[in-house]
């Protein structure tokens, strides 16, 4: 069968830009810079976003949705949440046209040696998966053992509070790969770690088994917090952390007419939005008048709350006194004496890091484990993801951050350390949150901020907010301002952000790329 081709006029590809070439239903992304023209697959391998709507920042191509980054030289993956690079197609020039031959250039697997012959990974979440996929993609041939307590292959946790709840969804839809372990030559061990010995690089499981390697990646993640208020153990009072939790919640929502979400954090608001789309009456019970105001400022929080109210989500300010019911939930009695009727209660009280089983290391007050800028806890022992309290480069502070993409960045960094790349972790944190049909982007780290530089209108959810701490912009939050936000994230990663004074004056970030 003849291999197809796609043609595009060279003048249709802006210098320093990109354009999509099409032939019927088939398309290719052409990128042009001073080094020439290259062609890549047109969609991000993460969720299939059209890369032509993304941004070129220097030698990086950013996905328009979730900010995966790829090299425009060869399509190599530079930043997650994608776990693989872009397919690249050979290009030739014929007169005034560029012609892409639809036969992918075979990616070369580098031959890279490592002193580590057996890596034991504790956890099967974002950090663990990113480490394993990076190691195999970049030529690690040693033995890998992954220890996880769930019966599922690794899955995308970010789906669980979003569209997964909008309608009954088969659990396999959340899996990253049905045959993940086989595809990456991983020895999968199911079990819960009760003791991790960094000095001996060994893991003891609850059934008494001990597994040892010559290197450890500890990425145990977090568990859902279940407050001790009365009635939290009633049938119909649930949490949302795992795939099994999401399946159970979705099934219960089939019959529940009234749902109360306890907590106005990201998970709670996302779940409320998508359960409301499903036709359920949902009320968010939060302590604050404006949920998320501490994180984003009152103006952004006010805009988000009013948006959700306009979509049918109810809000009630208050605190749980107790969950009531005769074996099964029927409602919540509030500390102020009020009551909310409910057939189902989703408790979104946050997550606690699983860090207490590691010998010889005292967790910090927030449950994190302090590590160096290389994420190492001890020789050939690394900490990644939710449990890592690491030096965050952009803010200059030690941080423990519960972001899916950051955990992936940690995992990629550890993989490259195993392959001999000794350097500090300096990647910029980023997360996204689907607030109904609105996507909120947040980059950087600003647990406390002195002031906010606001552009746009947060009441209309069309804005970018810059968070300033000690006369430095350290984070930004945005809805509807993708180009400006992507430029911010890129400049933050390169340490080239303008001063707060320049932001006040309205400097265009895209002009600084």
């Amino acid at each position: 069968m003849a291999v197809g081709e796609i043609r595009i006029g060279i003048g249709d590809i802006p210098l320093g830009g990109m354009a999509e070439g099409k032939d019927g239903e088939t398309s290719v992304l052409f990128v042009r810079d001073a080094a020439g023209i290259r062609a890549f697959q047109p969609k991000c391998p993460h969720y299939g976003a059209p890369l032509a709507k993304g941004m070129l920042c220097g030698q990086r191509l950013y996905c328009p949705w979730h900010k995966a980054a790829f090299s425009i030289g060869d399509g190599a993956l530079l930043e997650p949440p994608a776990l693989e690079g872009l397919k690249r197609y050979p290009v030739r020039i014929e007169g005034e046209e560029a012609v892409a031959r639809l036969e992918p250039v075979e990616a070369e697997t580098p031959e890279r040696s490592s002193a580590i012959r057996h890596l034991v990974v504790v956890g099967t979440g974002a950090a663990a998966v990113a480490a394993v996929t990076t190691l195999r993609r970049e030529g690690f041939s040693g033995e890998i053992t992954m220890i996880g307590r769930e019966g599922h292959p690794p899955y995308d946790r970010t789906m669980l509070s979003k569209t997964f709840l909008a309608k009954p969804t088969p659990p396999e839809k959340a899996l990253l790969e049905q045959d993940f372990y086989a595809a990456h030559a991983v020895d999968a061990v199911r079990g819960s770690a009760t003791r991790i010995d960094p000095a001996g690089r060994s893991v003891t499981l609850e059934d008494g088994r001990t597994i040892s390697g010559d290197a450890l990646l500890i990425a145990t993640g977090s568990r859902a917090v279940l407050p001790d208020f009365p009635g939290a153990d009633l049938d119909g009072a649930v949490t949302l952390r795992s795939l099994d939790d999401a399946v159970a919640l979705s099934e219960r929502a089939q019959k529940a007419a009234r749902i109360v979400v306890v907590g106005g954090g990201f998970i709670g608001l996302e779940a409320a939005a998508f359960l409301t789309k499903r036709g359920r009456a949902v009320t968010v019970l939060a302590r604050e008048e404006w949920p998320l105001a501490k994180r984003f400022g009152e103006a952004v929080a006010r805009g988000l709350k009013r948006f959700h109210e306009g979509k049918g989500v109810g809000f009630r300010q208050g605190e749980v006194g107790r969950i009531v019911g005769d074996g099964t939930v029927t409602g919540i009695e509030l500390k102020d004496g009020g009551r909310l009727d409910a057939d189902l209660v989703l408790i979104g009280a946050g997550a606690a890091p699983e860090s207490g089983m590691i010998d010889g290391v005292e967790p910090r007050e927030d449950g994190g484990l302090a590590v160096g800028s290389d994420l190492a806890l001890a020789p050939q022992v690394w900490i990644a993801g939710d449990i890592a309290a690491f030096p965050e480069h952009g803010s200059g502070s030690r941080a423990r951050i519960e972001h899916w993409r950051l955990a992936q960045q940690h995992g990629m960094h550890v993989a490259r350390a195993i392959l001999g790349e000794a350097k500090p972790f300096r990647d910029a944190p980023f997360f996204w949150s689907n607030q109904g049909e609105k996507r909120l982007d947040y980059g950087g780290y600003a647990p406390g901020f002195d002031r906010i530089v606001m552009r746009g209108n947060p009441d209309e959810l069309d804005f970018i907010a810059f968070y300033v701490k000690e006369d430095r912009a350290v984070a930004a939050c945005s809805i509807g301002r993708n180009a400006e936000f992507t430029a911010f994230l890129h400049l933050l990663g390169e340490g080239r952000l303008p001063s707060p004074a320049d932001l006040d004056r309205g400097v265009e970030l895209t002009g600084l790329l």
Side-chain angles (χ1 to χ4, degrees):
M1 183 176 178
V3 176
E5 295 181 341
I6 291 182
R7 296 172 177 267
I8 190 171
I10 294 174
D12 294 329
I13 316 169
L15 184 62
M18 54 190 170
E20 194 171 282
K22 293 186 176 182
D23 183 4
E25 297 297 316
T26 305
S27 59
V28 160
L29 181 73
F30 290 90
V31 177
R32 181 185 176 200
D33 64 6
I37 297 174
R38 291 166 295 282
F40 302 102
Q41 69 184 74
K43 294 184 178 181
C44 179
H46 177 225
Y47 274 6
L51 292 173
K53 294 184 178 181
M55 276 188 68
L56 292 182
C57 300
Q59 292 297 300
R60 291 185 168 208
L61 166 59
Y62 284 91
C63 167
W65 293 354
H66 306 123
K67 308 302 176 281
F70 308 92
S71 165
I72 63 170
D74 60 4
L77 176 67
L78 300 176
E79 296 276 9
L83 294 173
E84 58 185 282
L86 301 178
K87 292 179 182 177
R88 181 165 62 94
Y89 301 100
V91 175
R92 69 179 186 275
I93 304 300
E94 290 187 356
E96 298 300 316
E97 288 186 320
V99 185
R101 180 177 171 83
L102 300 180
E103 186 174 46
V105 176
E106 188 171 343
E108 294 184 6
T109 301
E111 294 184 7
R112 303 182 67 173
S113 60
S114 173
I116 294 169
R117 297 184 179 181
H118 181 196
L119 171 67
V120 176
V121 181
V122 191
T124 58
V129 167
V132 168
T133 55
T134 303
L135 284 168
R136 293 306 192 210
R137 186 178 64 248
E138 300 194 7
F140 180 72
S141 59
E143 183 181 354
I144 299 177
T145 300
M146 291 183 78
I147 302 170
R149 58 179 166 220
E150 296 186 58
H152 306 285
Y155 56 87
D156 185 346
R157 194 183 303 276
T158 66
M159 292 180 61
L160 303 186
S161 57
K162 301 178 176 67
T163 53
F164 196 91
L165 298 180
K167 60 182 180 180
T169 306
E172 55 267 22
K173 290 289 187 181
L175 300 183
L176 296 172
E177 292 181 76
Q178 187 71 46
D179 60 347
F180 177 89
Y181 297 119
H184 298 282
V186 169
D187 178 22
V189 175
R190 186 177 181 185
S192 294
T194 56
R195 178 176 178 268
I196 300 174
D197 177 14
R201 302 186 192 112
S202 66
V203 182
T204 301
L205 306 183
E206 60 184 354
D207 61 7
R209 286 178 293 170
T210 298
I211 298 171
S212 302
D214 54 2
L216 277 181
L217 168 57
I218 306 171
T220 45
S222 299
R223 66 184 183 278
V225 171
L226 187 62
D228 59 359
F229 40 66
D233 58 347
L234 287 172
D235 184 46
V238 301
T239 57
L240 178 56
R241 184 69 187 173
S242 68
L243 179 54
D244 288 339
D245 289 343
V247 171
L249 174 58
S250 183
E251 289 177 349
R252 286 178 177 275
Q254 286 280 81
K255 300 179 181 179
R258 300 162 300 179
I259 302 172
V260 173
V261 177
V262 178
F266 301 113
I267 298 297
L269 291 181
E270 287 182 352
F274 287 102
L275 289 168
T276 299
K277 282 178 175 286
R278 198 165 172 171
R280 303 297 178 259
V282 182
T283 300
V284 174
L285 174 63
R287 295 180 179 182
E288 311 86 2
E289 179 182 5
W290 307 109
L292 297 178
K294 184 176 180 181
R295 185 65 174 272
F296 297 139
E298 186 176 308
V300 173
R302 184 175 61 242
L304 284 170
K305 181 179 179 181
R306 289 175 175 171
F307 169 77
H308 286 298
E309 287 176 328
K311 298 295 183 178
V313 178
F315 285 84
R316 175 70 180 269
Q317 187 177 1
E319 296 184 50
V320 175
R322 64 183 183 126
I323 300 175
V324 295
D326 185 11
T328 301
V329 166
T330 58
I332 294 178
E333 291 181 356
L334 308 183
K335 285 186 176 180
D336 64 8
R339 176 186 168 102
L340 293 172
D341 293 330
D343 309 302
L344 180 61
V345 173
L346 171 59
I347 302 171
E354 296 272 27
S355 57
M357 76 289 284
I358 302 172
D359 275 2
V361 184
E362 186 67 29
R364 303 183 339 149
E365 185 176 347
D366 64 2
L369 303 177
V371 294
S373 61
D374 58 357
L375 306 183
L377 181 68
Q380 297 189 178
V381 178
W382 292 271
I383 302 290
D386 291 4
I387 65 172
F390 66 100
E392 200 280 311
H393 179 68
S395 65
S397 62
R398 184 170 291 278
R400 189 184 73 80
I401 301 174
E402 297 174 357
H403 296 172
W404 172 265
R405 183 178 181 266
L406 183 76
Q408 292 178 310
Q409 290 171 309
H410 280 180
M412 290 178 66
H413 182 88
V414 170
R416 288 167 179 160
I418 290 171
L419 293 170
E421 294 184 20
K423 61 181 182 180
F425 179 81
R426 293 188 172 184
D427 295 353
F430 162 77
F431 75 86
W432 75 93
S433 175
N434 287 95
Q435 301 288 313
E437 61 266 30
K438 297 288 187 179
R439 190 190 74 242
L440 178 149
D441 291 329
Y442 183 92
Y445 181 65
F449 49 86
D450 300 327
R451 67 185 182 95
I452 300 172
V453 178
M454 181 69 70
R455 296 180 183 177
N457 189 340
D459 284 334
E460 296 178 0
L461 296 190
D462 178 17
F463 70 91
I464 183 167
F466 303 103
Y467 298 90
V468 177
K469 179 76 172 178
E470 297 176 355
D471 204 35
R472 293 173 59 213
V474 294
C477 173
S478 175
I479 296 177
R481 301 286 180 103
N482 187 59
E484 197 168 10
F485 178 83
T486 303
F488 172 89
L489 189 65
H490 182 76
L491 293 169
L492 175 65
E494 292 194 338
R496 296 197 295 120
L497 282 175
S499 68
D502 286 336
L503 292 174
D504 282 328
R505 286 192 290 269
V507 64
E508 290 293 333
L509 298 185
T510 54
L512 302 177
L513 297 174

